[in-house]
Amino acid sequence: MTPNVTAVSYGPKLTASELEQLRSILTASGATFQSESRGGDSRFEVHTAELAVAGGTDSGIATLRHAVAEGAQDGLDTAIVPAALRAAPRKFLIMDVDSTLIQQEVIELLAAYAGKREEVAAVTEAAMRGELDFAQSLHARVAVLAGLPAAVVDSVRAEVRLSEGAAELVAAFKAAGHVVAVVSGGFNQILRPIAEDLGLDYWIANELEIVDGVLTGKVLGAVIDRAAKEKYLREWAAAEGVAMEHTIAVGDGANDLDMLGAAGIGVAFNAKPAVRAVADSAVNMPYLDAVRHIAGV
């Protein structure tokens, strides 16, 4: 049989017993192993198994994902990926920014200058868990910034750190001729230089209103929320001629759920429990470039 599904496992250290248990789970769920390989580096190890699943249907893949989730092992995550996505000559990668592409939540860094970091962080956490409407919560969080000098934006920009492996992930996709985009509920004033430095193909975020060198506590235009993230994924992929089946979306919060669900594969990156529970796959270690292995790049 021709392999039509790939199981990609990754973790700090993959043991023989963990991999044997994984083989048992996959075999019991109807998968036939065609080949296996090992990879990774000093940070994490990767095991890739090419599988034949009768029909390779969405339902068959869903069955494998459910079985893997039921038999989850600490320190080992496994993504079940359609072989056609990994083999696609051109792919489209779209990522969230705060707590995904970068390590921090920018709104919290800004709020610290207003003495409101803990208050804003609590609202951010609730919004990312899906307990609050994102647009309403964003307006409330931005409101606390009113009166701050615009110079704090520059200060915060200097504090931002890319997630480990982020630059390597983008570079690998770009070098292979794929398309890379980010869509953020954060702010253009922070994202713009990051996007330009990384050479991203597409990017968008909210725009902080600044009048006479002072933050007004408002954002300009429509908020980039959960629905907007999916909208831009579909629009940009279509503009590049990439089928949705060949797209990869990565995010951590409830406002990423629509784009994670719409993509060919959705990856929950160190995500909130509600996101991990429904995403196609998860990366529960700090290395964003693990997504390379999932996508076969």
Side-chain angles (χ1 to χ4, degrees), residues 1 4-5 52-58 60-61:
M1 295 177 68
N4 51 16
V5 175
V53 179
T57 61
D58 289 344
I61 289 173

Side-chain angles (χ1 to χ4, degrees), residues 165-176:
E168 292 81 358
L169 173 64
V170 173
F173 266 75
K174 295 288 290 177

Side-chain angles (χ1 to χ4, degrees), residues 79-161:
I80 303 298
V81 192
L85 186 157
R86 285 171 54 87
R90 201 148 183 265
K91 304 166 191 174
F92 188 100
L93 169 66
I94 188 168
M95 296 178 283
D96 175 41
V97 175
D98 292 36
S99 296
T100 301
L101 182 71
I102 66 173
Q103 297 178 27
Q104 304 106 316
E105 293 284 337
V106 165
I107 185 65
E108 295 173 14
L109 299 180
L110 288 165
Y113 286 87
K116 302 279 189 175
R117 181 165 189 162
E118 290 186 4
E119 172 187 322
V120 166
V123 176
T124 299
E125 281 292 311
M128 292 303 98
R129 290 193 299 266
E131 297 168 4
L132 301 174
D133 175 79
F134 181 80
Q136 291 178 349
S137 74
L138 180 70
H139 286 304
R141 287 175 287 162
V142 172
V144 309
L145 308 179
L148 287 177
V152 303
V153 173
D154 297 323
S155 299
V156 165
R157 193 182 298 123
E159 295 178 46
V160 169
R161 297 290 178 268

Side-chain angles (χ1 to χ4, degrees), residues 10-265:
Y10 35 88
K13 184 70 175 177
L14 306 184
T15 67
S17 60
E18 287 172 336
L19 293 176
E20 190 54 42
Q21 182 176 339
L22 175 65
R23 290 185 191 97
S24 297
I25 291 170
L26 294 172
T27 301
S29 301
T32 302
F33 279 72
Q34 302 295 301
S35 66
E36 299 180 59
S37 60
R38 298 290 292 262
D41 54 33
S42 60
R43 301 167 302 149
F44 61 90
E45 298 181 356
V46 180
H47 176 269
T48 303
E50 303 296 341
L51 310 173
V53 179
T57 61
D58 289 344
S59 61
I61 289 173
T63 296
L64 290 181
R65 287 174 177 163
H66 179 73
V68 167
E70 288 287 300
Q73 306 173 69
D74 289 340
L76 181 150
D77 290 304
T78 298
I80 303 298
V81 192
L85 186 157
R86 285 171 54 87
R90 201 148 183 265
K91 304 166 191 174
F92 188 100
L93 169 66
I94 188 168
M95 296 178 283
D96 175 41
V97 175
D98 292 36
S99 296
T100 301
L101 182 71
I102 66 173
Q103 297 178 27
Q104 304 106 316
E105 293 284 337
V106 165
I107 185 65
E108 295 173 14
L109 299 180
L110 288 165
Y113 286 87
K116 302 279 189 175
R117 181 165 189 162
E118 290 186 4
E119 172 187 322
V120 166
V123 176
T124 299
E125 281 292 311
M128 292 303 98
R129 290 193 299 266
E131 297 168 4
L132 301 174
D133 175 79
F134 181 80
Q136 291 178 349
S137 74
L138 180 70
H139 286 304
R141 287 175 287 162
V142 172
V144 309
L145 308 179
L148 287 177
V152 303
V153 173
D154 297 323
S155 299
V156 165
R157 193 182 298 123
E159 295 178 46
V160 169
R161 297 290 178 268
L162 292 175
S163 292
E164 293 186 59
E168 292 81 358
L169 173 64
V170 173
F173 266 75
K174 295 288 290 177
H178 305 306
V179 187
V180 183
V182 299
V183 60
S184 174
F187 309 106
N188 280 328
Q189 286 93 338
I190 302 296
L191 179 57
R192 184 177 294 110
I194 296 172
E196 291 174 350
D197 286 347
L198 291 173
L200 301 180
D201 298 289
Y202 297 90
W203 58 274
I204 194 167
N206 298 300
E207 187 81 13
L208 289 168
E209 184 180 58
I210 299 174
V211 177
D212 296 329
V214 175
L215 297 179
T216 66
K218 299 177 181 178
V219 293
L220 298 172
V223 168
I224 304 299
D225 59 7
R226 177 171 168 168
K229 290 188 173 190
E230 179 188 353
K231 177 178 80 78
Y232 284 111
L233 163 60
R234 292 185 180 278
E235 286 183 2
W236 293 339
E240 291 292 335
V242 177
M244 288 297 292
E245 292 82 1
H246 300 158
T247 63
I248 304 102
V250 188
D252 73 298
N255 64 325
D256 299 315
L257 284 173
D258 290 3
M259 75 171 185
L260 294 179
I265 189 165

